[in-house]
Amino acid sequence: MFHTKLDDFPENFLWGAASAAYQIEGGWKEDGKGSSIWDTFSKIPGKTYKGTNGNVAVDHYHRYKEDVKLMADMGLRAYRFSVAWSRILPNGSGEINDKGLQFYENLIDELRKYNIEPVLTLYHWDIPQALQDAYQGWESRQAIDDFNEYARVLFKRFKNKVKYWVTFNEQNVFTALGYRWEAHPPNIANVKKMFEANHIINLANAKAIQSFRELVPNGRIGPSFGYGPIYPFDSNPNHVLAALNGEEFQNHWWMDVYIHGKYPKVIWKQLERLGVTPTIESGDMELLQSVKPDFLGVNYYHGGTVRANKIEFPLKDEEQQLDKDFEATDPYLMEPKEEQAQSPEVPMFTNVSNPYLEKTDWGWEIDPIGMRIALRRLQSRYDLPMMITENGLGAFDELTENREIEDQYRIDYLREHLVEIQKAITDGVDVIGYCAWSFTDLLSWLNGYRKRYGFVYIDRDDENEKSLERIPKKSYYWYKNIIKTNGKSL
Ligand code: BG6
């Protein structure tokens, strides 16, 4: 703290909540929807927790009016949701499914009826299966044109109803988990393919923003990046250098492209040494440099702590446990595993647990100050307005005998993060909104329905759809009051 009095949140601050199509909608084959890669992948035995999938999810497709009414009663000012590409273009391109468009139009109209600002995400990980079958999805440059066609359909239809648009959700996460760790579709473990697909997605991002400038001149668009600041294990300069490497590799590698249209040199050279740089064709860099987002969407859950690589700088005894804790718990491990790195080189850094931080039930570090550090770093490097497009706590929630949820732990988590956002605003950071993850409980991609994030409990579990009743949690009423007082009651 270097100031004692905090600034107020801006008057028009977008107090919101977020979701994604596959995680809430259900209706997976309804009204002409095609399959997405998640519809297929989740059916592969052993891939998701207890084989959970989004066939029914929390049935938002049929209950969206009830859900929006709950948002309105809460006083929500913004709602971030994603569109399922396979509802709009069941085959990925070509024939448009008007019923799919109509569903989102109804949802948007319902939100606007209550003055809730829609924040529309174009891509939250669910490319149509038809495009995966036709040409391996994001491995082919054809996906750039098809994504653009899909985006243009939505831009044209909703340009007068939606101001805030998100292009890609957590490109860093879905490329790493999908192409490197075989943990998400398309279920591949190949570093070279990951960097190739990632470059193609960067081009798709840029091309869609070009179309946006043409079709929605008054709108605002940006990617949502899964950002976590990287800390050095301690002040040993070797660890500080490793943290610099980590920050470049895990964050700047994506964000520099979004904002400056170029790849960071240090990482590019490292990938060259490893033989995994993406193929750059003529015109690519010009396309990347031709656009710039209007804002940065930031999904913040936690950062990471790193030390110099274990090969040149062996772990001390007291560091062994931190190393073990990390390997055991973090699902988003990004450091090359020896067998998968396909590299004779020593890693640029090694991830370890941070001894100062508590963890959630799923082993994610809880680091509210990291939120302020994230916002500060991003403001000084990229200097764009920022919207927190995700932040929240995944926990086991228990329904009491009175059918209530006493989720004080979630309130504490959200409050601590919001206080750090307020401090960042006081520091001088431009934050335009905050979308908590999530509005209702929903399907966690790999962890089923028991990892709950919502302000609203959904009566269902991993085995059974049960009543799907919506039950506002204690945190729902708490957030309602925060919105009402524009953050003064934090
Ligand atoms: C983000 C995603 O990575 O984290 C969300 O954008 C996701 O879709 C959220 O649900 C929480 O992750 P998890 O694995 O706990 O569901």
Side-chain angles (χ1 to χ4, degrees):
M1 192 83 171
F2 56 85
H3 30 62
T4 45
K5 190 179 170 313
L6 298 184
D7 287 3
D8 289 339
F9 283 88
E11 263 322 301
N12 51 359
F13 192 73
L14 292 170
W15 295 98
S19 70
Y22 181 73
Q23 299 179 273
I24 59 166
E25 286 178 0
W28 75 300
K29 283 188 169 170
E30 229 157 300
D31 291 337
K33 180 182 173 297
S35 285
S36 80
I37 54 172
W38 268 95
D39 290 319
T40 315
F41 175 81
S42 58
K43 316 281 163 43
I44 303 172
K47 281 294 174 184
T48 64
Y49 180 72
K50 291 193 176 174
T52 41
N53 61 51
N55 288 3
V56 176
V58 300
D59 199 30
H60 175 74
Y61 190 72
H62 299 109
R63 296 169 196 243
Y64 73 91
K65 282 196 177 170
E66 185 185 348
D67 291 343
V68 174
K69 179 72 173 53
L70 281 165
M71 293 176 203
D73 290 347
M74 192 197 219
L76 213 65
R77 293 187 192 165
Y79 174 57
R80 174 179 177 235
F81 62 95
S82 80
V83 171
W85 183 345
S86 57
R87 272 195 206 288
I88 309 301
L89 296 144
N91 299 313
S93 63
E95 200 186 328
I96 297 173
N97 176 30
D98 199 59
K99 284 189 174 160
L101 274 172
Q102 194 58 55
F103 167 69
Y104 293 106
E105 180 132 45
N106 294 344
L107 170 64
I108 291 164
D109 288 346
E110 198 69 13
L111 291 166
R112 292 176 60 86
K113 182 166 114 189
Y114 297 109
N115 289 321
I116 301 170
E117 187 80 49
V119 180
L120 189 159
T121 303
L122 292 169
Y123 188 79
H124 203 123
W125 304 355
D126 49 354
I127 191 170
Q129 182 65 40
L131 301 186
Q132 194 64 36
D133 295 341
Y135 53 68
Q136 309 300 318
W138 295 115
E139 286 179 57
S140 163
R141 283 175 178 249
Q142 181 59 42
I144 302 167
D145 289 339
D146 288 343
F147 181 72
N148 189 44
E149 179 191 328
Y150 156 66
R152 290 179 73 91
V153 170
L154 296 179
F155 293 158
K156 283 183 198 155
R157 178 85 168 223
F158 301 133
K159 65 181 172 199
N160 295 322
K161 297 188 173 188
V162 177
K163 177 174 175 193
Y164 292 98
W165 299 71
V166 170
T167 51
F168 285 91
N169 180 70
E170 294 189 355
Q171 189 180 331
N172 52 332
V173 173
F174 80 82
T175 51
L177 295 182
Y179 291 89
R180 188 169 187 189
W181 302 116
E182 288 177 292
H184 279 196
N187 205 15
I188 289 171
N190 184 316
V191 180
K192 171 78 172 155
K193 282 192 181 179
M194 178 185 97
F195 287 114
E196 291 288 4
N198 184 64
H199 180 63
I200 287 170
I201 296 161
N202 282 333
L203 296 168
N205 181 70
K207 190 153 182 178
I209 295 180
Q210 276 190 348
S211 289
F212 188 79
R213 298 289 175 235
E214 175 199 330
L215 297 170
V216 199
N218 298 322
R220 301 269 181 279
I221 195 163
S224 274
F225 187 74
Y227 183 82
I230 306 299
Y231 305 145
F233 175 65
D234 66 22
S235 58
N236 177 333
N238 289 305
H239 299 333
V240 175
L241 186 62
L244 190 57
N245 290 340
E247 188 78 23
E248 294 256 62
F249 181 69
Q250 300 202 1
N251 295 320
H252 301 164
W253 175 255
W254 282 272
M255 303 195 92
D256 281 10
V257 178
Y258 291 144
I259 290 108
H260 301 308
K262 55 188 183 192
Y263 288 105
K265 283 188 181 138
V266 171
I267 303 303
W268 185 269
K269 263 195 104 172
Q270 172 74 348
L271 298 191
E272 257 174 2
R273 282 188 285 266
L274 302 175
V276 294
T277 44
T279 311
I280 307 291
E281 292 185 4
S282 92
D284 282 5
M285 298 317 290
E286 289 75 8
L287 173 58
L288 296 178
Q289 275 157 29
S290 70
V291 293
K292 190 176 169 180
D294 300 298
F295 68 92
L296 263 182
V298 180
N299 291 1
Y300 175 80
Y301 291 91
H302 57 80
T305 302
V306 306
R307 70 183 306 291
N309 74 77
K310 289 182 266 191
I311 301 165
E312 292 174 298
F313 305 93
L315 298 176
K316 294 185 206 140
D317 288 349
E318 65 273 20
E319 289 170 26
Q320 299 285 353
Q321 189 54 41
L322 294 175
D323 187 46
K324 254 194 244 122
D325 289 351
F326 182 85
E327 299 275 349
T329 54
D330 196 323
Y332 287 170
L333 183 68
M334 296 277 220
E335 182 203 5
K337 278 205 174 112
E338 272 150 54
E339 68 280 10
Q340 276 172 306
Q342 300 173 351
S343 154
E345 299 275 335
V346 288
M348 296 173 85
F349 56 92
T350 291
N351 290 297
V352 288
S353 266
N354 188 320
Y356 296 99
L357 301 175
E358 302 278 313
K359 290 183 174 146
T360 71
D361 293 337
W362 272 265
W364 291 21
E365 287 173 344
I366 301 175
D367 181 15
I369 297 174
M371 170 73 94
R372 181 179 177 187
I373 295 169
L375 291 169
R376 289 283 302 272
R377 285 191 184 175
L378 293 171
Q379 182 76 57
S380 63
R381 190 170 177 98
Y382 301 116
D383 200 20
L384 280 176
M386 280 175 274
M387 186 190 297
I388 308 301
T389 39
E390 283 183 35
N391 171 239
L393 175 69
F396 297 104
D397 289 336
E398 293 296 334
L399 208 51
T400 65
E401 273 177 19
N402 305 330
R403 294 184 74 73
E404 287 168 350
I405 300 287
E406 292 283 334
D407 57 343
Q408 186 59 43
Y409 39 88
R410 182 168 291 107
I411 294 172
D412 294 343
Y413 179 100
L414 295 173
R415 200 189 73 77
E416 284 168 19
H417 284 78
L418 280 164
V419 167
E420 294 303 323
I421 292 171
Q422 192 176 5
K423 288 181 190 169
I425 290 171
T426 310
D427 292 341
V429 178
D430 186 3
V431 189
I432 59 174
Y434 174 83
C435 292
W437 185 264
S438 50
F439 185 67
T440 61
D441 288 341
L442 39 70
L443 172 64
S444 168
W445 305 88
L446 301 179
N447 304 290
Y449 291 95
R450 62 187 193 143
K451 188 176 186 185
R452 294 175 183 271
Y453 280 93
F455 290 120
V456 176
Y457 183 87
I458 303 283
D459 182 33
R460 74 152 293 163
D461 59 25
D462 296 311
E463 289 83 13
N464 204 312
E465 285 146 30
K466 297 169 112 177
S467 72
L468 291 163
E469 187 191 343
R470 275 70 175 136
I471 304 170
K473 303 178 190 176
K474 187 175 177 188
S475 57
Y476 173 97
Y477 300 102
W478 170 81
Y479 196 49
K480 179 176 180 162
N481 191 45
I482 298 295
I483 300 173
K484 198 168 128 204
T485 61
N486 202 37
K488 288 198 178 65
S489 52
L490 266 177

